[in-house]
Amino acid sequence: LLVMILLIMVSATWTTALGAESVSATSDIAVDHGAAVTNTEKDEHGLPQKAVAIGRVFGLPITNSMLVSWMAALGLIIFAQLATRKMQQVPSGAQNFLEWLVESLYGFLEGILGPHLVKRTFWFFATVFIFILFANWVGLIPGVGAIGWGHATAHGFRIDRPLFRGANADVNMTMAMALIFFACWIYWALRELGPIGFLKEQFAPKGESTGLLKIVMTVVFFAVGCLEVISILFRPVSLSFRLYGNTFAGENMLETMAHLVPGLGWLLPVPFYFLELLVGVIQALVFMLLTAVFTLLICQHEGEKTASAH
């Protein structure tokens, strides 16, 4: 799953970079004026709104957020390998922590999805939660956003191209995870309901009715189904921009606190670092819960829905 997310992120970043290069080539006519405006904007806004390319491999741009996402993924893979290298009946250390984390997530999701659905979907929800949480916390390591290339200003040295940037502060990353969930959501829905059942779930009238009322309810539920299709198509957008916006806002807040009072840049952000640790957990939990609830709503059968409602 991590490899799929990173590959989609690379593809999206490449497309974004190609568009940015074409716009940049057009705007090179007014070099002096554009440079002055750019420097002014950079002095006012320390953190760029999009990830910055720091190199290229086989023509593909490598951004600073991609670098952090690879570091987070590699760290998780190494930890999982070390924790499960010598499995013991009575776990301790890293194995104990990993088993506690997986068991806690499984029990939590089982209470929401049920024992049948959680067996098929746990791999995705657990991976997304752990990766988002770890990536958010990696982005808080001192030096992320503070090491890179920049220029001197009247207020000190400003970083224009940071070497590291929070992985989820790049909309390509969050959109990749949302699109993979969308594909999994369609697969799970078709597997549980079948193509006919999926269409009935979206457009067929619910409940029992006869005569003219049944015709009216058919029209009403078909219209509601069309609106639901629009809502479903917007879910990847809302999921990706919610996570991206909160992560980017947190990094901007830390950047602002670090430069708010000269000489106190090492002290003012400290309380906000603890706040961002909590926000990292909340954002990972929100993304996992929303995707789990979306899956539950489409994959539940009629009898299960009534039991859940009670």
Side-chain angles (χ1 to χ4, degrees), residues 74-86:
L74 183 62
L76 288 174
I77 293 171
I78 293 175
F79 173 76
Q81 291 295 322
L82 293 177
T84 58
R85 182 175 54 180
K86 296 180 180 180

Side-chain angles (χ1 to χ4, degrees), residues 182 185 198-199 202-203 222-236:
F182 186 66
W185 181 86
F198 180 80
L199 294 176
Q202 297 299 323
F203 301 104
F222 180 79
V224 172
C226 293
L227 294 177
E228 182 66 16
V229 169
I230 298 175
S231 173
I232 291 171
L233 294 177
F234 271 95
R235 283 175 185 175

Side-chain angles (χ1 to χ4, degrees), residues 249-267:
E251 291 198 0
N252 257 324
M253 179 179 63
L254 294 176
E255 177 78 11
T256 302
M257 291 297 106
H259 297 89
L260 185 62
V261 179
L264 293 179
W266 59 274
L267 179 62

Side-chain angles (χ1 to χ4, degrees), residues 46-48 52 54 63-65 143-149 159-165:
L47 186 65
V52 178
I54 57 175
T63 65
N64 45 11
S65 64
V144 175
I147 300 175
W149 301 267
I159 301 296
D160 299 334
R161 297 174 58 202
L163 180 61
F164 304 107
R165 176 192 177 103

